[in-house]
């Protein structure tokens, strides 16, 4: 009986190791492809749900990524990072918040890291394969190494053909699920040289709050 138990433990251990290696191989392919592009332009669907709190919302957004710079439009607000400062532009309130927060020091999944965040801080294993909108999507389950993280786990869906991230589901410990689904994924687009340059003259009537 003991031999059978030990054999079962060994089989489970080997299977887990193989799953982790397969997941790492796929994630490495995704990282390599993402980093090969000069820029990436995404449009996506964003949804947030917490059944116990009766919270459910859905909206669309778009983001342009170039290196660690980004321009994100979501929920009527623009958020730009020029590599040094973050500009949050809120047209409804005619307000702009400017800070010197370093995105690289932020442990959350920020726009500049949304396609590479998984490279550090997680253990991973292969999950289910799903047919979504005619695509074969391989999901990988990511578990935070930090036991104090607000995240319970992340399901990262990767298009098996293009090796692009198609879907990301963040499951929080408080029961909230945040889902990003990519609607379009364009690369190496012609971008304006001033896309990530903040021009204060365009916002003469805005209140500018400098937080640094």
């Amino acid at each position: 009986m003991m031999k059978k138990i030990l054999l079962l433990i060994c089989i489970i251990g080997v299977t887990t190791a193989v799953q982790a290696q397969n997941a790492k191989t796929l994630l490495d392919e995704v990282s390599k492809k993402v980093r090969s592009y000069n820029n990436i332009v995404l449009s996506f669907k964003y949804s947030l749900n917490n059944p116990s709190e009766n919270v459910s919302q859905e909206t669309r957004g778009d983001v342009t990524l170039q290196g660690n710079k980004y321009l994100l439009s979501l929920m009527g607000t623009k958020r730009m990072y020029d590599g040094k400062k973050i500009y949050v532009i809120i047209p409804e309130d005619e307000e702009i918040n400017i800070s010197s927060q370093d995105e690289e020091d932020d442990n959350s999944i920020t726009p500049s890291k949304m396609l590479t965040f998984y490279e550090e801080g997680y253990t991973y294993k292969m999950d289910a394969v799903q047919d979504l909108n005619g695509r074969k999507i391989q999901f990988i389950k990511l578990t935070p190494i930090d036991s104090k993280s607000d995240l319970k786990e992340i399901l990262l869906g990767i298009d098996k053909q293009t090796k692009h991230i198609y879907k990301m589901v963040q499951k929080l410990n408080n029961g909230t699920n945040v889902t990003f689904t990519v609607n379009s994924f364009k690369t190496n687009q012609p971008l304006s040289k001033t896309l990530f340059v903040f021009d204060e003259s365009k916002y003469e009537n805005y209140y500018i709050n400098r937080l640094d």
Side-chain angles (χ1 to χ4, degrees), residues 178-191:
V178 179
T179 304
F180 295 87
T181 304
V182 175
N183 293 322
S184 71
F185 192 116
K186 299 179 181 179
T187 62
N188 300 333
Q189 299 296 294
L191 303 180

Side-chain angles (χ1 to χ4, degrees), residues 54-162:
N54 197 29
V55 174
S56 180
Q57 64 183 77
E58 183 176 301
T59 188
R60 295 182 182 275
D62 57 76
V63 61
T64 300
L65 306 164
Q66 187 173 50
N68 68 336
K69 299 177 182 180
Y70 66 78
L71 177 61
L72 170 69
S73 296
L74 183 66
M75 296 182 180
T77 297
K78 287 189 176 182
R79 181 182 174 99
M80 185 183 78
Y81 184 57
D82 63 6
K84 294 181 180 179
K85 292 184 180 293
I86 298 171
Y87 304 84
V88 180
I89 303 168
I90 312 169
E92 183 178 358
D93 299 331
E94 293 191 336
E95 181 179 327
I96 298 172
N97 294 317
I98 304 176
S99 67
S100 296
Q101 178 183 355
D102 185 350
E103 288 284 294
E104 296 305 314
D105 290 339
D106 191 347
N107 291 321
S108 62
I109 301 174
T110 59
S112 57
K113 298 187 291 185
M114 66 185 298
L115 298 180
T116 56
F117 72 91
Y118 51 81
E119 294 177 339
E120 295 180 0
Y122 298 90
T123 60
Y124 33 75
K125 66 177 182 179
M126 300 295 270
D127 205 79
V129 177
Q130 296 183 18
D131 287 319
L132 299 176
N133 295 324
R135 308 180 185 189
K136 291 284 186 182
I137 305 299
Q138 171 67 65
F139 281 90
I140 294 177
K141 182 181 290 186
L142 307 173
T143 304
I145 294 174
D146 182 3
S147 59
K148 296 180 181 179
S149 173
D150 292 333
L151 282 169
K152 179 181 179 181
E153 64 184 31
I154 297 176
L155 291 174
L156 193 64
I158 298 168
D159 188 318
K160 295 185 72 172
Q161 181 177 359
T162 64

Side-chain angles (χ1 to χ4, degrees), residues 24-68:
K24 183 179 187 307
T25 298
L26 181 55
L27 290 175
D28 285 346
E29 291 178 2
V30 174
S31 293
K32 183 178 180 180
K33 198 155 192 180
V34 165
R35 295 182 188 283
S36 72
Y37 300 129
N38 182 50
N39 61 65
I40 298 173
V41 180
L42 300 177
S43 66
F44 59 88
K45 181 175 72 174
Y46 167 92
S47 63
L48 184 150
N49 293 282
N50 187 319
S52 62
E53 299 292 334
N54 197 29
V55 174
S56 180
Q57 64 183 77
E58 183 176 301
T59 188
R60 295 182 182 275
D62 57 76
V63 61
T64 300
L65 306 164
Q66 187 173 50
N68 68 336

Side-chain angles (χ1 to χ4, degrees), residues 5 61 64 96 112 144 155 192 198 202 204 207 209:
I5 293 175
T64 300
I96 298 172
S112 57
L155 291 174
S192 167
F198 177 68
K202 293 181 179 179
E204 293 182 357
Y207 171 71
N209 186 19

